[in-house]
Amino acid sequence: MHIARTPDELRAALAGRQHPAFVPTMGNLHDGHIALVRQARTLGDCTVASIFVNRLQFLPHEDFDSYPRTFAADCAALEAAGCDVLFAPREADLYPEPQTFRVQPDPALADLLEGRFRPGFFGGVCTVVLKLFALVLGRTGGTAVFGQKDYQQLLVVRRMVQQFALPVQVVAGATQRAPDGLALSSRNGYLSPAERAEATALPQALARLATAWAATAPATPEAQAALEAEALHTLRARGWEPDYLTVRRRSDLLPPTASDAPGSLVALGAAKLGRTRLIDNLEC
Ligand code: PAF
């Protein structure tokens, strides 16, 4: 695996490649990321991963400084998965001057759900992703693989690609789960053993919410809010601090209307367990 630290090194590593398949990450890789890399291997003539902890997508009180940097282990895992090129820029290489031009995603999509609780998050994600796309895929076009666990991020990136007519095909990678159902996430590493055991309550709450939704097909905002309130209450009673547990349309993440068929919805949740904020989703 070739490790490129600068845009120039990356350009040299990609010379002659016609269709890179790209997996952007912030490192601290787990089997969910590795599954995305394996998927990418089937989608291009060169598999590229990036590791960059992007300051622009963290709020001041969030975990930018403490975000685990596990470069040696990440390199070994990427190499074993058959990644061809790793782009791992230092901050000064990706942002050689202050990044004063920013992408402003459509608030109708980016200010909901995650965006409501992490203002500016998707602007920071889009800004770095646009820049990474330009560097990795800009010369040839290509494919980028994003995990479905970050459901809203996937939608926001798809919209950005569409709105800016970027030469990028965005492909979704299925969420990888531990045997007990917890979605794999870099932040699972923050959980104490007791919290790790409790963490399965989030996917369970989403599954119950999805089942109750399918059984009752609530059409009014009041009926929808009642089902969501029940799910929130269940998690709160177990000591969680949920931000949201909700069912939305897959297409735009707005609340479903009576004409939205089952099979076109997704249950999404975010909740804090101790100091760790977990997110998950389940299509329904
Ligand atoms: O999903 C992530 O790890 C990040 O948001 C991404 C897409 C690598 C941008 O920093």
Side-chain angles (χ1 to χ4, degrees), residues 22-27 33 36 50-55 57-58 67 95 118 121-122 124-126 128-129 132 145-147 150 153 157 186-187:
F22 176 41
V23 181
T25 83
M26 298 203 301
H33 295 111
L36 300 180
S50 65
I51 294 180
F52 183 70
V53 185
N54 173 39
R55 189 187 290 278
Q57 71 191 69
F58 288 79
Y67 201 85
Y95 298 133
R118 305 181 71 189
F121 171 69
F122 288 116
V125 168
C126 285
V128 79
V129 167
L132 291 168
V145 189
F146 284 79
D150 296 302
Q153 171 172 277
V157 170
S186 297
R187 292 191 168 98

Side-chain angles (χ1 to χ4, degrees), residues 7-86:
D8 283 346
E9 288 172 15
L10 177 68
R11 212 166 294 122
L14 293 178
R17 308 298 194 155
Q18 293 309 312
H19 193 112
F22 176 41
V23 181
T25 83
M26 298 203 301
N28 191 25
L29 303 182
H30 51 67
D31 287 350
H33 295 111
I34 297 307
L36 300 180
V37 171
R38 291 192 199 286
Q39 189 173 352
R41 284 185 63 188
T42 68
L43 298 171
D45 65 356
C46 173
T47 305
V48 185
S50 65
I51 294 180
F52 183 70
V53 185
N54 173 39
R55 189 187 290 278
L56 301 186
Q57 71 191 69
F58 288 79
L59 288 171
H61 67 272
E62 291 185 337
D63 54 347
F64 174 76
D65 288 326
S66 59
Y67 201 85
R69 273 85 168 167
T70 53
F71 191 68
D74 292 347
C75 285
L78 288 171
E79 180 119 47
C83 181
D84 300 307
V85 176
L86 168 61

Side-chain angles (χ1 to χ4, degrees), residues 148 151 154 177 210 250 263-268 281-284:
Q148 207 160 359
Y151 203 89
L154 175 62
R177 295 184 180 278
R250 290 182 201 175
S264 65
L265 308 179
V266 55
L268 304 122
N281 65 79
L282 186 67
E283 289 190 331
C284 54

Side-chain angles (χ1 to χ4, degrees), residues 93-152:
D93 291 313
L94 199 63
Y95 298 133
E97 55 184 66
Q99 186 69 31
T100 50
F101 281 44
R102 304 280 179 97
V103 177
Q104 190 188 347
D106 182 352
L109 178 61
D111 288 2
L112 316 169
L113 304 173
E114 282 304 284
R116 184 168 154 224
F117 292 93
R118 305 181 71 189
F121 171 69
F122 288 116
V125 168
C126 285
T127 301
V128 79
V129 167
L130 181 65
K131 195 152 189 177
L132 291 168
F133 281 176
L135 293 168
V136 178
L137 305 173
R139 279 178 324 112
T140 53
T143 299
V145 189
F146 284 79
Q148 207 160 359
K149 170 162 173 294
D150 296 302
Y151 203 89
Q152 191 175 4

